[in-house]
Amino acid sequence: MDVAQVLIDGKWREADAEGTFHAENPAKGEAFALAFPTSRWSDCDLALTSATKAAAELRTINPAKIATFLDAYANNIEAAAVTIVAAAAEETALPITPRLKDVELPRTTNQLRQAATAVREESWRHATLDLEKNIRSCFAPIGPVVIFGPNNFPFAFNGVSGGDFAAAIAAGNPVIAKAHPLHPNTTRLLAEQALKALETSGLPLATVQMIYNVSNENGLKLVSDPRIGAVGFTGSRTAGLHLKRAAEDAGKPIYLEMSSINPVIFLPGALAERSEQLAQELVDSVLAGSGQFCTSPNLILIFETPQTEAFLAQIAKSFNDRAAQPLLSTAGRKQLHQGVTALIDAGAQLITGGDHAPGDGYRYANTLLRATAKQFLAAPHDLQREIFGNATLAVTISNQFELASILRLLEGNLTGTFYSAKSGADDVTYNDIAPLLREKVGRLLNDKMPTGVAVSPAMNHGGPYPSTSHPGSTSVGIPTSIARFAKLDCYDAVRPERLPDILKDAIANPNTWRSINGAWVKG
Amino acid sequence: MDVAQVLIDGKWREADAEGTFHAENPAKGEAFALAFPTSRWSDCDLALTSATKAAAELRTINPAKIATFLDAYANNIEAAAVTIVAAAAEETALPITPRLKDVELPRTTNQLRQAATAVREESWRHATLDLEKNIRSCFAPIGPVVIFGPNNFPFAFNGVSGGDFAAAIAAGNPVIAKAHPLHPNTTRLLAEQALKALETSGLPLATVQMIYNVSNENGLKLVSDPRIGAVGFTGSRTAGLHLKRAAEDAGKPIYLEMSSINPVIFLPGALAERSEQLAQELVDSVLAGSGQFCTSPNLILIFETPQTEAFLAQIAKSFNDRAAQPLLSTAGRKQLHQGVTALIDAGAQLITGGDHAPGDGYRYANTLLRATAKQFLAAPHDLQREIFGNATLAVTISNQFELASILRLLEGNLTGTFYSAKSGADDVTYNDIAPLLREKVGRLLNDKMPTGVAVSPAMNHGGPYPSTSHPGSTSVGIPTSIARFAKLDCYDAVRPERLPDILKDAIANPNTWRSINGAWVKG
């Protein structure tokens, strides 16, 4: 049997495997021929030892080499794009165009290049100089970072190429990536390009290592190993909370993005003005990526207005008209169905969908459920369950008081959205209610669906627990995301010639912003 | 029996007490007459409910009022300084002058005023505007903060007046302070001044609440309550780790400062140049506050040179010559003795001290121990035990390789210090060794004892685990410390008139630094 090799210490090598698995083509429901190994602890151990050595080397290296690597990796991914995109399409059933080729792959290389720019500029290090007291500080690498990527973005959140990866590398840390077992071949192809870029840029070859799978026990051991600096995780709440406890008990910072239902609120004036257009926007957002987005609207809050029933009917009709796309896995479809069933059990009414859909692969009918605010308030826990897939729950609201009560009972979310009248007719309600939603979300939107997550320095792809593990940090947005993987190094009365270049009185880099005696100064 | 009242919801009120305790005068070993309550959960519950309301009000208030409160509180503390200092001296046995009156109290009011300045300037909010994408973000209050102060700084780290307090309030959060049971009366007097300042500045009166003590069980319940935003803790590792797990399991960020042995390294050239002066500096640092500083040097690493034995003899002589000062408590003395005994059991040799000292109160003889590098390397865990008090361990080192081996085995520390020759004779060794120490500490010093912790924007009073819970954050240093108690609020396409003032295109505050399209701009 052909078994893929793992990337450890700069070499593709046979894994010390305790088993193998096969990924599937979810559009066909067929397993691929290539087997992938589940690594024993010895693979993790070797990766950890190699990462420790690489971390020490990286601390002494000219950061420009890290930037060179990130740019070279982006170039390599583009040069191999046809192969990588084809593999991802096979493993995820996501469309090659526009999704994989025209959106996610360019987003991924853009992230790597933005990270390269941040490394060259060095402003992310937040150099702070108190010249009078001769105390200086800046961010520095935290140590090897273990990254778990999710199932739903094979490039942009992949442990070996995504946002956490770019941030951890930009901070000067080696990465040990765990591939998601639903797209191991895509991850393998990316890691090949990473290794080539390491070779040409002169970074330690163990700066990027990749294994495909480990037992749950070894996963917990990995995130709590003394040799690591921090952990990045994007995935399910169940897996995330297990890793969180293990890492935190060992004193290791762990950044998790776990779950979010992304409430979208339609105020009465917005429905009166443009309900047809809004229904269309909502359908596009809920069905994007078959609803398998962290920012997919799972909870729609709609005031009962003369337009509301037509609005819901239009959504239901669009859901029926559009063909259900394959989900990422049979397990995902099963969980989606369990979620829909649980919502119904908790009082929601099924409008359309609610079962497997015809066609090849793991399809589930586009699903709309509804409930009243009273029902939601009677079962707030069960009715804010995340349903990861092409399904959403609309809750109709008879007055502002009900809406306020619902918002107060929401868990933390990545995003929250208001649609309101352009005329200003909803402004009084907005001003009353927005502060309640503001408290529960990382990103507040107006008149725009939350599904898109721009790579901007001002982005917050984060939010209050349990959507993430810390409401003050973001996994998307450069340079902000980089500081998560840094320690704060202070120099008190350290002799000038011994200071890192970035903290010397005169700085060579003309592009670095530093805070000197309380004022931000460039170069 | 006279029992002190707790400060909950803007009122001094009788606690719902499950017991009472008395603080002691550690210089006399006598208990004070006034009893203090151990609160039942109902006190915590009421404080949490009141803090939740205050948090909502604070979010809508002009931040200038928060600054007014911080300044007024600093003024009030100064006006009541004689009483407060006298109470602290009685409860801690720390000298009124210079320590309490001339150093710690001014430091405390200075911190409050620096926090007020940061609130007025608003640069701590790290406003970031991406005008092209119309995405904007800034830090915002995280919610009610529970603060546990330590035993050793009755003002500057007190839960109701110290650095964590100033940072949490500056971020716009109400504080629930737990007094340290060794100085409840000092804390009560400070809280009185806080309440007066709340009244005159127009903040919600529940912005500052204070209880004296709770059971361990209720402490864990408090830090994991859904109504809180975050926790600040300074104290012992044992207590800290219990609170850490409870808070983190509930998804609550907790910032802990727990333990540190603050290695100080004397390179050969430094001893050759100025060993007498250095011995003096070391003695002053180790005995400052009877060694009850988080940054007290517990581990001295000295190369074996012709000066080394005289250097150690001079330290021993000074330790003998200086009268031992009372420690903070009988429990502290017991733990110190246990620590010294454990070091001896692990192979250290007692040079001087090692037992209770004569005089009133809880005195322990100034204690010097020594060991060889070989002994340290044979018992690295036991010989890096924190000894909180006027004792230190000197480890003699025969070569650079031994020093490197020791540094590799150190746990995370707040500080690490090198003394080296002014002539440059130690520079080669420094350059080889400093990177190893750099990895293990938050603050690296040259030719300066670590005991002083300046309140500077460039300070890092933090360090790798287990000295603190996150190596990227600091509990001292404004504005850096404030962001710990903040969430990141992102606004995506939010209509201009609905943005917080700090994120509007034009800003009214001329003193605020903002990052606009990647450049820092003021006003």
Side-chain angles (χ1 to χ4, degrees), chain A residues 18 25 52 91 128 150 167 185 297 329 344 366 394 435 460 479 502:
Chain A
E18 63 186 27
N25 182 330
T52 306
E91 290 186 322
T128 305
N185 198 41
S329 68
I344 294 168
N366 300 323
N460 181 12
I502 196 170

Side-chain angles (χ1 to χ4, degrees), chain A residues 492-493 495 498, chain B residues 262-275 277-285 297 299-303 311 403 416-422 425-427 429-430 437 444-451:
Chain A
D492 189 344
R495 298 187 193 175
R498 294 170 175 176
Chain B
N262 306 297
V264 176
I265 299 169
F266 292 96
L267 296 180
L271 290 177
E273 271 183 4
R274 54 191 204 281
S275 77
Q277 177 202 329
L278 299 186
Q280 202 54 49
E281 279 186 40
L282 180 64
V283 168
D284 290 343
S285 178
L299 179 64
I300 317 302
L301 300 164
I302 325 172
F303 276 81
F311 179 78
L403 178 56
T417 303
F418 276 102
Y419 279 84
S420 56
K422 290 177 183 168
D426 294 320
D427 283 5
T429 310
Y430 181 96
L437 185 60
L444 181 73
L445 297 100
N446 276 187
D447 308 306
K448 183 183 170 186
M449 286 294 159
T451 347

Side-chain angles (χ1 to χ4, degrees), chain A residues 421-441:
Chain A
K422 292 176 181 166
S423 68
D426 293 320
D427 283 5
V428 172
T429 310
Y430 181 95
N431 292 336
D432 280 355
I433 294 293
L436 296 174
L437 185 61
R438 176 71 280 181
E439 287 316 299
K440 299 303 179 86
V441 304

Side-chain angles (χ1 to χ4, degrees), chain B residues 133-216:
Chain B
K133 297 199 174 80
N134 193 18
I135 302 176
R136 297 149 198 255
S137 60
C138 64
F139 284 127
I142 199 169
V145 177
V146 179
I147 302 181
F148 296 76
N151 59 4
N152 59 340
F153 281 85
F155 311 146
F157 286 79
N158 195 308
V160 84
S161 66
D164 278 349
F165 172 87
I169 295 282
N173 304 298
V175 163
I176 299 173
K178 195 194 84 63
H180 195 283
L182 291 185
H183 48 253
N185 198 41
T186 306
T187 309
R188 183 181 69 80
L189 292 170
L190 287 165
E192 281 183 358
Q193 300 309 322
L195 179 59
K196 274 193 219 166
L198 289 171
E199 285 162 351
T200 56
S201 60
L203 288 197
L205 297 183
T207 300
V208 182
Q209 303 182 92
M210 190 272 299
I211 55 179
Y212 296 102
N213 198 24
V214 288
S215 66
N216 290 348

Side-chain angles (χ1 to χ4, degrees), chain A residues 320-382:
Chain A
N320 287 330
D321 289 350
R322 295 210 197 169
Q325 298 304 311
L327 295 164
L328 293 165
S329 68
T330 180
R333 180 166 70 173
K334 192 174 161 194
Q335 281 162 18
L336 176 57
H337 187 60
Q338 284 169 346
V340 168
T341 307
L343 292 176
I344 294 168
D345 289 349
Q349 180 193 345
L350 183 68
I351 305 300
T352 187
D355 211 337
H356 292 197
D360 286 341
Y362 307 124
R363 293 171 203 258
Y364 195 79
N366 300 323
T367 297
L368 178 66
L369 301 112
R370 71 184 291 175
T372 63
K374 279 179 192 57
Q375 286 174 312
F376 189 95
L377 292 169
H381 176 77
D382 293 341

